[in-house]
Amino acid sequence: MRTEVVITTYNSIGPLILCLTSVARQNHIPDSICIADDGSGPETRAAVDAFQADHPNLSIRHVWHEDNGFEKAAILNKAIGSSEADFLFFIDGDVMIHPVFFARHLEVSKPGQFSTGSLIRLDEKTTASVTADMIEDGTVFDPKWMKENGVFNRFGTWLKSMPFPGPVMRFLDVATPVQKALCGANAAMYREDALRVNGFDERIKYGGVDKEFGVRLINADVAGRHVRYTAPLVHLDHPRGYKDPEKIKKHKSMIKSVRKNRTTWTEYGIDKLAEAE
């Protein structure tokens, strides 16, 4: 089975290189890495090429479209549509994934099911202190380091850092009553299942694009499986100038309608993209 990780990014080279560094030290390396670039300038492509040169064992492709504002759904659809993989992981370019991340998603994988997890969020000050060396030596995934930097704002966040042996953490995955809402920065599925619902709805910009996708998957009998405590990632802080409260409100209404009407297919997804090309 061929696997690929899709990493979304936009003009954020430093975090992207940290993300790629965490990918490079995985226990299980995907067959390919797709940089789904939402219109970054040429500096991003140059940085990715340099990282590839330093890591010849990795297979990296760069999928790009022109900058037209926040169009994450569109670039994800382009990545999915052009992928040759059977199984896809989805992460954002501002996260660092634990060394067991891909292996755990694969462990629970099966056709007709998506797996999804959650995030451990760093604040601005802690984000600024992170270096590639801290990923290489595992510091950023160390519960002690997180505690010292005030990351554990609640008990559940501490549990996400995997403080107990693997069997205990896997038990918590299934024993904790968590909604199976898809988190776009921490998800995986068979490509065939993503195609079944025509990918992401490109009408939705920031605020709900991954959740709406997850609802349609569930409506199409693609069950959700949470790996909340066994596939952790650490999220780097950043500003969100593209955040629009009115659009978020509109998107919530769309999601509610999709859930109520048991909608599975979007006319504004991968097929639409293919026709436009």
Side-chain angles (χ1 to χ4, degrees), residues 31-99:
D31 296 300
S32 60
I33 299 168
C34 174
I35 305 299
D37 190 340
D38 191 17
S40 300
E43 298 82 5
T44 293
R45 179 58 183 264
V48 171
D49 288 345
F51 189 89
Q52 171 74 93
D54 290 338
H55 298 81
N57 62 309
L58 302 179
S59 175
I60 305 177
R61 67 189 185 102
H62 185 247
V63 175
W64 179 90
H65 63 193
E66 291 186 1
D67 187 356
N68 191 31
F70 191 93
E71 295 288 348
K72 181 179 179 180
I75 197 61
L76 280 169
N77 282 340
K78 192 169 186 177
I80 296 168
S82 61
S83 179
E84 297 181 352
D86 304 296
F87 190 82
L88 301 173
F89 307 93
F90 295 95
I91 61 176
D92 290 341
D94 55 11
V95 306
M96 301 166 291
I97 55 177
H98 191 280

